[in-house]
């Protein structure tokens, strides 16, 4: 629901991944953003109207994204998709971060536009470790991205994980994502994506800098 810049980009991205997409918008002219190559369905109407959703094919849909410019419309449509039509994969774009947190606790995944943008900027302004790439809704788990510390180059990932008390989710190496195993070794130029409990972040970053302990 919503064929603005976000909605149209999302629809085209999903179609490129070979998904069948229906797009709803109150303005027929909005569908121009999809371009001539778009093969999905377009439905003009209010996205939280039950009849409009049925015309768009929600009864056979696997997922629903509410990304119009209105918080209220998005959350009503998302709840309707989840509670009336039983769609499990639902997300709503919300501009008000306070509202987003409330709906997140109610079980409706949200993307708080202002908060997301500010978080992205903060990650690029602050020193490594000050702001994670991702933090789960409870604030317990964080995902951090960091360049392989010089002190750890040539050492096994299993030792890195033991001493930092974090877990390497994956490694970016020469443009490819790699899942580490017990014999994996950290190499120069690696980017590590590390999952850490929030209360252990200070310990983890100290271990990153200090390097491996002698066995």
């Amino acid at each position: 629901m919503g064929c603005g810049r976000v909605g149209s980009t999302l629809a085209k991205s999903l179609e490129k991944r070979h998904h069948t997409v229906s797009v709803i918008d109150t303005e027929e002219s909005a569908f121009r953003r999809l371009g001539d190559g778009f093969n999905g369905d377009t439905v003009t109407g209010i996205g939280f109207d039950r009849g409009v959703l049925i015309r768009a094919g929600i009864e056979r849909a696997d997922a629903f994204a509410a990304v119009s410019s209105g918080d209220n419309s998005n959350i009503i449509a998302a709840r309707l998709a989840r509670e009336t039509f039983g769609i499990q994969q639902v997300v709503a774009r919300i501009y008000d971060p306070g509202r987003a947190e409330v709906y997140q606790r109610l079980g409706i995944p949200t993307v708080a536009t202002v908060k997301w943008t500010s978080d992205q900027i903060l990650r690029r302004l602050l020193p490594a470790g000050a702001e994670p790439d991702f933090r789960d809704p409870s604030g317990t788990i964080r995902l951090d991205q960091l360049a392989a510390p010089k002190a750890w180059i040539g050492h096994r990932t299993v030792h890195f994980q033991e001493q930092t008390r974090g877990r390497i989710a994956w490694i970016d190496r020469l443009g490819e994502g790699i899942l580490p195993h017990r014999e994996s070794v950290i190499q120069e130029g690696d980017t590590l994506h590390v999952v850490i409990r929030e209360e252990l972040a200070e310990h983890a970053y100290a271990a990153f800098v200090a390097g491996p302990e002698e066995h």
Side-chain angles (χ1 to χ4, degrees):
M1 182 186 84
C3 195
R5 284 177 295 179
V6 173
S8 59
T9 301
L10 180 60
K12 289 185 285 187
S13 295
L14 286 167
E15 194 170 71
K16 282 181 182 177
R17 289 167 171 78
H18 310 294
H19 295 284
T20 302
V21 185
S22 294
V23 185
I24 302 168
D25 201 281
T26 55
E27 301 291 335
E28 190 172 354
S29 59
F31 300 129
R32 294 174 188 166
R33 294 188 177 95
L34 296 169
D36 295 334
F38 183 71
N39 295 311
D41 294 328
T42 56
V43 178
T44 305
I46 298 171
F48 53 84
D49 180 278
R50 192 173 186 277
V52 170
L53 288 168
I54 290 172
R55 278 166 46 209
I58 197 165
E59 291 173 311
R60 61 182 187 277
D62 294 312
F64 179 78
V67 292
S68 76
S69 58
D71 281 10
N72 289 338
S73 298
N74 287 342
I75 205 64
I76 291 169
R79 291 192 66 179
L80 189 62
R82 168 73 63 81
E83 296 166 14
T84 300
F85 294 100
I87 307 297
Q88 294 303 306
Q89 299 292 103
V90 173
V91 65
R93 180 174 72 164
I94 304 294
Y95 284 86
D96 181 346
R99 277 184 178 179
E101 290 175 8
V102 170
Y103 290 122
Q104 195 86 33
R105 287 197 292 270
L106 291 175
I108 297 184
T110 59
V111 177
T113 307
V114 174
K115 186 176 187 302
W116 185 87
T117 304
S118 62
D119 283 352
Q120 292 294 310
I121 293 170
L122 276 171
R123 289 180 195 124
R124 287 158 177 77
L125 290 178
L126 298 177
E131 277 298 312
D133 273 5
F134 171 83
R135 187 181 277 114
D136 81 305
S138 71
T140 305
I141 305 295
R142 57 190 282 166
L143 175 67
D144 289 52
Q145 172 183 304
L146 66 150
K150 289 183 180 179
W152 282 98
I153 292 171
H155 291 270
R156 289 168 61 191
T157 55
V158 67
H159 293 152
F160 177 92
Q161 294 179 140
E162 287 171 359
Q163 292 180 33
T164 62
R165 300 185 202 169
R167 293 290 179 268
I168 300 175
W170 79 95
I171 300 171
D172 290 333
R173 179 177 294 163
L174 301 175
E176 182 181 355
I178 296 172
L179 294 175
H181 51 78
R182 285 193 62 83
E183 302 304 318
S184 295
V185 172
I186 296 170
Q187 298 182 13
E188 186 173 359
D190 283 354
T191 298
L192 311 181
H193 298 267
V194 185
V195 180
I196 315 167
R197 288 189 64 86
E198 185 66 48
E199 73 268 20
L200 295 176
E202 187 175 343
H203 165 85
Y205 271 87
F208 295 162
V209 174
E213 297 174 0
E214 293 297 329
H215 288 277

